[in-house]
Amino acid sequence: MGAMQQQSEAVHQMIQAWRRLDLEAAMSLLAEDAVFLPDPGGEPVRGREAIGALWTYYMGLFASYECEVHHILASDRLVLVEKTERIARVDGQHVVLPVASAYELDGSGRIIAWRDYWDPSMAMAQG
C-alpha cells in the first residue's frame, strides 16, 4: 500500500469509527499530541485527552451519525475530504451539514491534525 493510500485508509477508518459512534476506535487513530479544530470560528483542541473529552460529549449528544463522502484528495501527509454529515441527536433534532475536512497524518499513519470547515449558521438554522 502506497503512502497516499495508507493516509486515505486512516481517514476512512476514522469516518467508520464515527459512523459507529465508537470512541475507542476513533481515539486509537489519533497521535498523542493531535490537534482538532471542530469549527472554523473555534479554538483548536490540543492533545488526545482533551479531544477525547470533547468527542465523549459529542457522541453523548448523537443518536446516530452518517457521513456521505463525496471526494477525497490525498497527498503525502494531507487528506482532504468533502462530505455531508447527517446527525440525529438524542433530543430528536436532525442536522445535515456540508463539511470540508483537512487531516494531517504522521509517518505512522496517525492523525496529528483534523480541521473541519462548515457554516455554523446552517447548523443553527436546523437545531
Side-chain angles (χ1 to χ4, degrees), residues 74-95:
S75 70
D76 193 28
R77 294 190 178 175
L78 178 67
V79 179
L80 302 174
V81 180
E82 178 190 11
K83 59 191 177 181
T84 300
E85 295 183 347
R86 291 176 179 80
I87 300 164
R89 297 183 347 193
V90 295
D91 65 5
Q93 297 290 324
H94 294 267
V95 179

Side-chain angles (χ1 to χ4, degrees), residues 7-87:
Q7 309 301 26
S8 293
E9 181 59 28
V11 171
H12 279 292
Q13 288 176 16
M14 180 62 81
I15 291 169
Q16 290 302 324
W18 273 92
R19 284 180 174 147
R20 296 187 312 270
L21 298 178
D22 184 343
L23 180 64
E24 185 176 329
M27 295 301 299
S28 74
L29 298 165
L30 291 179
E32 191 64 39
D33 59 349
V35 176
F36 176 59
L37 180 65
D39 62 77
E43 291 295 318
V45 180
R46 300 181 183 282
R48 284 186 71 204
E49 187 175 324
I51 293 169
L54 179 63
W55 288 2
T56 297
Y57 170 75
Y58 285 167
M59 288 186 185
L61 296 176
F62 295 176
S64 67
Y65 170 88
E66 186 51 51
C67 177
E68 180 183 356
V69 174
H70 304 292
H71 297 97
I72 293 182
L73 176 65
S75 70
D76 193 28
R77 294 190 178 175
L78 178 67
V79 179
L80 302 174
V81 180
E82 178 190 11
K83 59 191 177 181
T84 300
E85 295 183 347
R86 291 176 179 80
I87 300 164

